[in-house]
Amino acid sequence: MVALVCASLGGAALAQQIGMLQSGYVQEGNLLRPGNIIETITMSNPGQNADTCRKACDANSECGAFSYTQTAPNRKPVCHLRLIALPGGARRDHGYAQVVSGTRISYVKDVHKITLYGNTSLTGAALLRNVPSRANDPVECSDLCSRDAGCQAFTYNPPRRTAGRAAEAMCTLHKTAGKQTPQAGALSGVKSGALAAPARPRAAVPPAARDAVPARDLPAQRATGARPAIKPPVAPPPGNTPAPQTGGTEFPGEMNFPGEMTSPGEKDPSREK
């Protein structure tokens, strides 16, 4: 009975670490992942555990992922070092007494061409699509993005309990990288050379607003009473002075200049004394 309680408590602790980045690995909890096994190590010594398995993967340059498994409480644990981390076929309903798995962060960067950011979401990123992760597999989300030419980034959100039921983990694929924002429990990845979120276009400034006095100049203007300098009109060059317009019936009320020609029989006001 005590062993079952400990296993249950251990499973809960492992579930909280899913998708976290620690010691150079993506923590996957009790996920049993298939993959090309390059070495199997039987944990014969009592002090050997999942951390011993992880360190064995560190020591092997070909190791991309590890799985520490124990099929039954009375069986010795086994450490599997895997060449690659295959997302297909990964499961948590394996029936083993204990499983602890992890995938190297460097494997994701080298194979998927994706840089991972723990406890991070991407705000402002254009949505490509949402994919439920039934196995709650964070590396599966990275693999999906790496295989989709339209995906530039992803965000993995672990399952959350709602109304007493555990929802599926969600893998969100993005068409743009967006802005990195802290978010507990979320794991995001950005492809090498990913497109940033498009900037919002600026509204056009009307001419009246462009010609207005800047706000920073208003206090000084109020204090001194000065107004912005107005350029005087430019005088025309000498010899190009336009001739005055002549009067006529086209503009009623227009006055005649002195010496201006008058109609026959009309007196010239300038000559009257």
Side-chain angles (χ1 to χ4, degrees):
M1 183 66 179
V2 175
L4 292 175
V5 172
C6 292
S8 176
L9 293 175
L14 290 173
Q16 293 176 0
Q17 298 175 6
I18 297 173
M20 297 294 98
L21 304 182
Q22 185 177 1
S23 303
Y25 288 80
V26 182
Q27 300 296 306
E28 300 166 351
N30 64 339
L31 181 70
L32 182 61
R33 181 185 300 286
N36 297 353
I37 297 177
I38 56 177
E39 186 177 358
T40 298
I41 305 171
T42 302
M43 302 292 180
S44 301
N45 299 329
Q48 293 178 321
N49 51 26
D51 195 49
T52 307
C53 188
R54 176 189 61 80
K55 291 179 180 178
C57 187
D58 285 339
N60 192 320
S61 60
E62 295 183 343
C63 181
F66 74 89
S67 293
Y68 171 86
T69 66
Q70 186 178 16
T71 56
N74 60 343
R75 302 294 299 270
K76 292 182 179 179
V78 175
C79 172
H80 297 297
L81 305 185
R82 306 181 186 277
L83 180 65
I84 58 177
L86 290 177
R91 63 188 193 278
R92 297 186 185 276
D93 56 344
H94 39 66
Y96 285 18
Q98 188 178 9
V99 172
V100 178
S101 295
T103 297
R104 268 185 170 176
I105 298 174
S106 59
Y107 170 86
V108 175
K109 187 172 184 178
D110 295 340
V111 178
H112 296 173
K113 307 301 180 185
I114 288 177
T115 301
L116 298 176
Y117 301 93
N119 292 318
T120 302
S121 63
L122 301 175
T123 57
L127 174 66
L128 181 60
R129 68 178 185 276
N130 287 317
V131 182
S133 178
R134 292 177 175 82
N136 301 338
D137 185 357
V139 177
E140 177 188 29
C141 193
S142 177
D143 181 75
L144 286 173
C145 186
S146 69
R147 296 175 185 272
D148 192 328
C151 180
Q152 298 293 322
F154 75 88
T155 299
Y156 165 86
N157 284 294
R160 299 178 182 274
R161 283 193 170 274
T162 56
R165 297 190 308 173
E168 294 177 336
M170 185 62 65
C171 173
T172 302
L173 304 183
H174 304 292
K175 292 186 288 188
T176 56
K179 180 182 178 182
Q180 297 174 24
T181 304
Q183 180 179 334
L187 173 67
S188 291
V190 179
K191 273 185 179 179
S192 301
L195 300 174
R200 293 183 178 180
R202 295 184 178 181
V205 181
R210 290 199 303 264
D211 299 337
V213 179
R216 63 178 179 274
D217 297 338
L218 290 177
Q221 181 176 331
R222 294 194 187 100
T224 61
R227 294 180 177 273
I230 300 177
K231 295 182 179 181
V234 179
N240 293 334
T241 304
Q245 295 182 353
T246 60
T249 58
E250 295 179 358
F251 301 95
E254 187 181 28
M255 296 185 64
N256 293 330
F257 289 94
E260 186 178 352
M261 295 293 295
T262 57
S263 302
E266 184 180 0
K267 296 181 181 182
D268 187 354
S270 64
R271 296 184 180 182
E272 291 183 358
K273 294 183 179 180

